[in-house]
Amino acid sequence: MGPLGYSHKVFNYCGIQGQAKGLPSGLTPPLRVNTATPSSPALATQPQRRLLWRWLLVILVLLVALGTLWFGWLVRFPWHLESFDSTKAAQLSPQKRTAYEQELFSEVLHWFDPTTRYPTWEPNYYLPREQRWLEMANDGFELAHIALRVLQPSAGVKYNAGPAFKRLEKLAEQGDQGAMCMMQSIRIVASPRDVTPEVIERAQHWMVKGAELGHPQCLRMLGGRLLRGADGHPQDTQRGKALIFESIQKGYTHSLGVMALHFEEKGLRDAADVRRLYCWEIWGAKVYQAMEPMKSVRYTINQDAPVEKRTELVEHLNELRDWDPTVEECVALSQGG
């Protein structure tokens, strides 16, 4: 307390400094609010800077999203592939077209796998296959061009198959039997997102139509489905084998692994069964390199044959090691079985 009974207080609150002098007890001086702007300009711009960074982040996210969509759209189409020259198709001889069809159909389902034509021990074996298809396309074989519109073996890329299906449908309507069969082949190898129920139905329709007209590839594909009762077709073993044998007679000896699978499922009971299965395994391996006939049949014996006969059947298999059967021998062994 001061000498006059007044309180002396020093205020230092919120930037207010002052000393109460001569004020009655209980009274305080009026507060003065400091309305001066902050001395640092940086403090005033921090909210704006945070807002700016947020907008930059949003823009960056949008750019990444748009870039991803653009890239996804870009890789859906084979921009590197030139348009097909239809004038060359008219100049392609029927004999060469037939040979091209047989070669293409033997490879297209294995477009990214090693085959005897493009084995694994050759460097960049994907590239020669693509170059060969391009060579056939440039010679006027449109089915090879259509295959390249969907598949790029050298890069392992599958493109949008929609335009290919439309083109094959048009060619099939014009009576192109190869296109009828190619519809089913492309349906098998195309990206699942491009294979709609309508595509499946049309591919089945044209495959059956091509088989009725006697095209060996359609015969082979329909026969395999009937043999096993697959892909919506009822099982008809005898008709399925008959169609496959007809395609073999017309020179189509690729993709015969389905016959090996059929007799493998029937089981191995005696030496005749082993001989027949081994025969088809050999011919399946003549195209698809991944098949190992001796190893495959031995595995089947050890897994499925009666235990008491396994040693005997393996010995018989070993006797066939140097056997090189003709496809006609395989057919003869399979009649009625």
Side-chain angles (χ1 to χ4, degrees):
M1 298 288 292
L4 298 178
Y6 299 139
S7 61
H8 297 273
K9 299 180 181 179
V10 177
F11 297 90
N12 187 3
Y13 180 74
C14 294
I16 302 174
Q17 293 183 350
Q19 184 177 15
K21 293 184 179 180
L23 293 177
S25 177
L27 295 179
T28 59
L31 297 178
R32 292 181 299 162
V33 179
N34 187 358
T35 58
T37 57
S39 59
S40 174
L43 294 176
T45 59
Q46 280 184 356
Q48 289 88 341
R49 287 188 175 183
R50 285 196 296 267
L51 183 61
L52 177 62
W53 279 111
R54 288 173 183 173
W55 275 110
L56 289 175
L57 181 61
V58 170
I59 293 172
L60 179 61
V61 171
L62 288 175
L63 288 175
V64 171
L66 289 174
T68 302
L69 290 174
W70 175 80
F71 181 77
W73 176 81
L74 184 66
V75 299
R76 290 281 283 152
F77 300 94
W79 302 105
H80 65 286
L81 191 63
E82 297 180 359
S83 300
F84 179 70
D85 187 351
S86 58
T87 59
K88 292 183 178 180
Q91 302 171 3
L92 188 65
S93 68
Q95 295 79 10
K96 183 172 282 191
R97 177 186 171 89
T98 299
Y100 281 167
E101 280 190 3
Q102 184 174 359
E103 180 179 341
L104 180 63
F105 281 126
S106 71
E107 290 289 329
V108 68
L109 296 183
H110 307 295
W111 70 281
F112 202 57
D113 295 322
T115 60
T116 52
R117 184 178 279 111
Y118 305 105
T120 54
W121 54 81
E122 291 187 6
N124 301 319
Y125 69 94
Y126 305 111
L127 185 58
R129 178 183 284 134
E130 182 176 324
Q131 291 174 335
R132 174 57 176 164
W133 291 1
L134 185 59
E135 177 185 323
M136 292 191 289
N138 291 336
D139 200 24
F141 182 46
E142 188 171 3
L143 295 187
H145 187 270
I146 291 174
L148 290 171
R149 289 175 64 177
V150 180
L151 308 168
Q152 187 180 357
S154 64
V157 174
K158 294 183 179 182
Y159 297 108
N160 179 16
F165 287 131
K166 291 180 180 178
R167 180 56 182 165
L168 288 169
E169 180 95 25
K170 184 175 181 179
L171 291 172
E173 290 172 348
Q174 295 172 357
D176 189 328
Q177 296 179 24
M180 297 177 189
C181 308
M182 193 66 168
M183 189 86 166
Q184 185 71 284
S185 295
I186 294 298
R187 171 231 158 174
I188 294 171
V189 299
S191 175
R193 61 186 171 186
D194 298 328
V195 182
T196 64
E198 181 182 1
V199 166
I200 295 174
E201 187 276 328
R202 299 309 296 163
Q204 295 277 30
H205 166 78
W206 288 116
M207 178 188 66
V208 173
K209 181 65 174 178
E212 292 173 353
L213 295 173
H215 193 285
Q217 179 64 18
C218 288
L219 289 169
R220 158 65 191 83
M221 291 191 294
L222 179 57
R225 285 159 176 76
L226 292 173
L227 186 67
R228 308 196 66 237
D231 211 8
H233 295 271
Q235 187 171 23
D236 188 339
T237 302
Q238 294 306 316
R239 182 167 178 247
K241 287 198 301 181
L243 294 179
I244 293 174
F245 295 163
E246 184 179 349
S247 71
I248 291 174
Q249 291 174 353
K250 294 184 176 183
Y252 273 51
T253 57
H254 60 267
S255 302
L256 293 178
V258 66
M259 292 297 298
L261 182 60
H262 168 69
F263 287 112
E264 179 181 305
E265 292 176 345
K266 285 178 66 68
L268 301 176
R269 300 176 301 276
D270 52 33
D273 290 341
V274 172
R275 188 178 185 87
R276 180 173 55 193
L277 176 58
Y278 184 61
C279 192
W280 287 116
E281 288 279 1
I282 287 176
W283 274 90
K286 286 185 180 294
V287 171
Y288 191 36
Q289 190 186 15
M291 297 180 68
E292 299 181 39
M294 185 65 64
K295 183 178 180 180
S296 178
V297 177
R298 183 180 292 109
Y299 178 84
T300 302
I301 292 173
N302 291 329
Q303 291 294 317
D304 302 328
V307 176
E308 66 276 8
K309 291 188 175 183
R310 289 179 183 176
T311 301
E312 175 188 345
L313 296 180
V314 169
E315 290 176 355
H316 178 68
L317 176 63
N318 291 333
E319 294 173 358
L320 300 174
R321 187 177 298 275
D322 297 326
W323 184 40
D324 185 19
T326 64
V327 70
E328 288 77 17
E329 288 181 85
C330 297
V331 171
L333 290 170
S334 307
Q335 296 291 350

